Amino acid sequence: MVLLELDPFLNELTKLYENTKKSGTVWVTLKRSTLQRQKKRKKPEETPAQAAEAPEFRCLVRATDGKKKISCSLTAKDHQRFQTSYATVLKAHMDSLKKKEKNKKSSAAKAQAS
């Protein structure tokens, strides 16, 4: 998995959506993370100074189409800019979604049951 900066991540995400336009799926996940290895379960007694230091949480964004995996780490400052750019990418690639078929029998049966 490749950890990219914000703008290259969005460019690669756009390419993933374009490659799967005819058929395929892109999965995007967001996860809160400190990007540090987890400490052992048994913790020694912490001093008050150590307890006061809170780790800086980041947002880990991952995307995959099943073949290629990309990821990006966001700070709180970058999150708003990422959300607007990500929304633009999603809106640009929503045109290939299929419309849901409505079943006339089930809606008529529900109307009669009420």
Side-chain angles (χ1 to χ4, degrees):
M1 186 175 298
V2 181
L3 186 63
L4 300 171
E5 294 296 320
L6 180 63
D7 292 328
F9 175 80
L10 290 169
N11 292 337
E12 289 294 320
L13 184 62
T14 303
K15 289 179 187 175
L16 282 177
Y17 278 119
E18 289 172 357
N19 291 341
T20 58
K21 193 162 187 126
K22 296 287 182 187
S23 66
T25 305
V26 175
W27 293 276
V28 179
T29 58
L30 290 92
K31 179 180 177 182
R32 187 177 92 165
S33 173
T34 58
L35 289 181
Q36 297 175 354
R37 294 194 180 260
Q38 290 188 1
K39 297 179 182 176
K40 294 180 181 177
R41 290 190 184 257
K42 282 190 174 181
K43 294 182 181 179
E45 295 297 322
E46 293 182 357
T47 62
Q50 291 174 341
E53 293 179 21
E56 179 185 347
F57 288 107
R58 301 172 67 89
C59 183
L60 182 62
V61 183
R62 297 177 181 152
T64 182
D65 64 350
K67 297 175 186 172
K68 185 175 183 181
K69 297 179 182 180
I70 56 173
S71 62
C72 176
S73 176
L74 304 172
T75 61
K77 296 175 190 175
D78 295 334
H79 192 263
Q80 184 66 33
R81 185 169 68 99
F82 172 77
Q83 285 292 344
T84 56
S85 301
Y86 179 59
T88 305
V89 170
L90 284 179
K91 288 176 187 175
H93 295 92
M94 287 286 182
D95 59 351
S96 61
L97 293 175
K98 296 178 183 175
K99 289 191 176 186
K100 186 177 178 181
E101 293 181 17
K102 294 183 180 178
N103 191 351
K104 294 180 182 179
K105 288 185 178 181
S106 65
S107 62
K110 288 181 184 178
Q112 289 178 357
S114 297

